[in-house]
Amino acid sequence: DLATLRAVAQDIRRFAGNLLGQGLGARQITELISHLNDVLTARVVELIAEARGADLGRACWIALGSEGRGEQTIATDQDNGLVFADDDPDAARPAWLAFARAVNEALADCGFPLCKGGVMAMNPAWCLTTRQWCERFDDWIEHGAPQDLLNASIFFDFRPLIGATELVRPMRDFVSRRARAVPRFLRQMAEAALQHRPPLNWLGGIETTNEGGREVVDLKLQGVSVFVEAARIYALAHGIEHTSTRQRLEGFAAATGIAAAESEAWIEGFEFLQFLRLRAQLGAEGWQLRPNAVDVRTLNDIDRRILKETFRMARRLQQRLELDYLR
């Protein structure tokens, strides 16, 4: 029941901390966290559906963002949506919105904060029929301004979680087909992605921000997102349906003949950043305030050198994006 789920949800962070202490890698831990969150979320959806008489044979709960990619760390809020089937969407939507609100609030009770940007199924903008979702994607692809695409990018990571998964298949088919057909869209996605640059100064050293005597970099905004956004663009450009960053980069390399050593370096750099994020979130007091910040001075020499090389790798990946889409 929901009371038990609230208690169980608190164990996930402790469990992840134990696994990190035992030396498990970032990929395995983030995949496991995402899997446990999937199972928990699916059970919440089931319980709310049972209580409200909602027919999950006519709707599908979808995960977006890091959950859609299977890359959640400990500090994560909700990013989700709902796809439903009905011949009269406007008449049916209020009931589905009430159902979605109950799910979103139950998940918040379990420790998954409500999304500050409103990217949740209880928002009418993200509670749509399959056709309406396809129309929304089409509008982004055909007419989206760079800032709109930056805000909407996590929607392209959608993944069905529970319910009528067949409602989601046409959405993936549509996005795969349309994205490749509109070069301007890929260019704009690249422009939006390049707004976030790795924190390297002109000498090639790590550029930090002084925060109360701490020399800080934001591992998510200045590092992880570089790999995530590049992988998403290349996946859309080459019809790669995977949502995880690792699988997208592997698929891109295979489709274009990129040397395995180069694609493996991208992936290892991405996973090293995820490892540092997990370690920061699991090992520091006050992690909720700046869950993705790390004081570079607290890193040992080896980690600092790997971090610098990872940022250089991220910069080279962005240079490839520029050559491919902004020439």
Side-chain angles (χ1 to χ4, degrees), residues 253-313:
T256 55
I258 290 172
E262 185 171 4
S263 63
E264 287 168 5
W266 297 336
I267 292 165
E268 288 179 11
F270 166 72
E271 292 179 351
F272 178 72
L273 292 172
Q274 290 284 72
F275 166 76
L276 290 184
R277 288 178 71 199
L278 280 168
R279 194 169 69 182
Q281 292 171 13
L282 290 166
E285 294 296 328
W287 62 270
Q288 297 94 334
L289 299 177
R290 289 295 307 276
N292 299 300
V294 64
D295 184 349
V296 174
R297 294 180 307 176
T298 66
L299 302 177
N300 62 46
D301 286 344
I302 293 177
D303 282 348
R304 197 178 300 116
R305 291 180 185 182
I306 296 175
L307 181 61
K308 183 189 296 185
E309 187 55 39
T310 296
F311 286 144
R312 289 175 178 170
M313 186 63 61

Side-chain angles (χ1 to χ4, degrees), residues 85 99 223 321:
F99 160 75
L321 263 185

Side-chain angles (χ1 to χ4, degrees), residues 168-179:
V168 180
R169 181 71 248 176
M171 293 163 53
R172 181 57 65 191
D173 291 340
F174 179 83
V175 168
S176 295
R177 183 178 70 255
R178 289 295 295 138

